[in-house]
């Protein structure tokens, strides 16, 4: 059973290590929807990403104009218009799998409602598999609750209130790297990355060794910090 994948992608960033992981695991997914989100800072890697991932057969979508709704809610719902698989994986580019991850997922896919990574009590959208039936029973509002809770919190509330069957992915089977996009944006702006900088430096070093294409400007920025 293959899940469709949905990921929001800020236009002002690239994620080479994640792209390499997708290339290695492309056979595990149905359609992959990458929704480019507007960052309004004049930096745009989206055309490079499209070319670099052309062999992965992804569906690239431009996020509709955001007015009175949360940007991620708009992006995810736009992708869901085109996704019809029995399962959907919501994920982020700072989520990296380890050995045993797919054995864990395959054990429960099709047998429960949700398979998710957790950050303390939060069901985290860095990795959340949902059955279509479970998804359709939620509000499908993926935005924040201003001043209260983060993205996908309304979805988690629905899941818990309806007592859906949920499997928590063992933390040893993945690594979720917080602060990745923020650190790169600081680097691009000539500032110092400030969230676990040594880990970020290691991440960039690994990115510079990937077999997938690298954008020259992205590579230059990474090399200045490594």
């Amino acid at each position: 059973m293959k899940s469709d994948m949905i990921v929001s992608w800020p236009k002002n960033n690239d994620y080479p290590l994640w792209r390499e992981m997708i290339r290695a695991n492309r056979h595990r997914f149905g359609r992959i929807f990458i929704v480019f989100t507007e960052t309004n800072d004049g930096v745009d890697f989206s055309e490079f990403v499209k070319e670099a991932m052309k062999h992965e057969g992804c569906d690239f979508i431009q996020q509709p104009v955001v007015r009175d709704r949360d940007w991620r809610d708009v992006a995810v719902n736009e992708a869901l218009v085109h996704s019809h698989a029995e399962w959907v994986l919501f994920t982020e580019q700072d989520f990296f799998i380890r050995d045993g991850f797919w054995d864990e997922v395959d054990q429960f896919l099709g047998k429960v409602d949700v398979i998710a990574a957790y950050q303390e009590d939060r069901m985290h959208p860095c990795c959340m598999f949902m059955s279509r039936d479970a998804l359709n029973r939620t509000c499908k509002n993926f935005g924040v609750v201003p001043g209260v809770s983060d993205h996908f919190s309304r979805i988690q509330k629905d899941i818990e209130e309806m007592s859906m069957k949920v499997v928590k992915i063992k933390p040893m089977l993945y690594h979720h790297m917080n602060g990745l996009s923020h650190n790169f944006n600081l680097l691009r702006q000539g500032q110092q990355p400030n969230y676990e900088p040594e880990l970020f430096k290691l991440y960039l070093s690994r990115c510079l060794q990937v077999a997938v294409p690298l954008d020259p400007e992205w590579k230059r920025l990474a090399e200045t910090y490594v």
Side-chain angles (χ1 to χ4, degrees):
M1 183 179 296
K2 295 184 178 182
S3 304
D4 280 356
M5 175 192 289
I6 295 177
V7 61
S8 303
W9 193 299
K11 293 169 67 174
N12 65 356
N13 217 321
D14 186 24
Y15 308 90
L17 195 59
W18 187 85
R19 287 194 285 108
E20 184 171 68
M21 182 181 71
I22 295 303
R23 177 167 291 188
N25 291 277
R26 180 62 182 92
H27 61 287
R28 298 184 181 276
F29 305 106
R31 298 174 71 180
I32 294 178
F33 298 94
I34 293 176
V35 187
F36 290 115
T37 58
E38 188 56 63
T39 50
N40 298 305
D41 58 3
V43 179
D44 189 351
F45 287 103
S46 62
E47 290 304 317
F48 169 79
V49 172
K50 290 179 185 178
E51 178 64 22
M53 298 189 76
K54 63 183 180 182
H55 298 298
E56 280 66 68
C58 300
D59 289 88
F60 297 102
I61 300 172
Q62 177 58 50
Q63 176 194 49
V65 175
V66 177
R67 291 187 173 88
D68 57 350
R69 290 171 58 196
D70 179 274
W71 64 269
R72 191 164 184 181
D73 180 48
V74 172
V76 171
N77 273 292
E78 182 65 20
L80 283 173
V81 171
H82 308 281
S83 172
H84 306 290
E86 292 184 27
W87 279 77
V88 179
L89 165 61
F90 304 101
T91 190
E92 298 173 346
Q93 299 92 329
D94 58 0
F95 183 83
F96 301 100
I97 62 174
R98 290 175 172 158
D99 289 345
F101 175 84
W102 289 113
D103 291 335
E104 176 93 343
V105 170
D106 291 343
Q107 180 181 351
F108 296 105
L109 202 65
K111 299 176 183 177
V112 296
D113 297 306
V114 182
I115 306 168
Y118 273 72
Q119 192 171 66
E120 297 180 347
D121 294 331
R122 182 189 179 195
M123 188 179 293
H124 205 290
C126 66
C127 183
M128 185 186 299
F129 293 85
M130 288 192 71
S131 72
R132 179 70 57 175
D133 175 68
L135 178 61
N136 286 340
R137 284 185 278 150
T138 71
C139 62
K140 294 187 181 179
N141 187 326
F142 304 91
V144 301
V145 179
V148 178
S149 55
D150 213 332
H151 290 112
F152 281 64
S153 59
R154 290 181 174 95
I155 302 298
Q156 180 172 354
K157 183 173 183 289
D158 288 345
I159 290 169
E160 292 174 347
E161 287 183 349
M162 287 185 269
S163 299
M164 294 186 187
K165 295 180 180 179
V166 179
V167 169
K168 296 183 180 181
I169 305 173
K170 297 181 182 68
M172 69 183 71
L173 300 178
Y174 63 86
H175 177 68
H176 179 215
M177 191 175 177
N178 290 301
L180 184 55
S181 296
H182 176 66
N183 273 346
F184 188 78
N185 288 338
L186 288 175
L187 181 62
R188 187 170 45 77
Q189 295 162 8
Q191 303 178 50
Q192 286 296 307
N194 57 18
Y195 188 86
E196 298 185 336
E198 290 306 313
L199 182 60
F200 180 62
K201 185 174 292 188
L202 175 61
Y203 164 79
L204 291 181
S205 297
R206 292 186 63 188
C207 283
L208 291 171
Q209 299 170 23
V210 296
V212 294
L214 291 174
D215 177 86
E217 176 60 14
W218 195 98
K219 181 180 179 183
R220 184 191 69 78
L221 287 168
E223 289 176 338
T224 64
Y225 190 62
V226 171

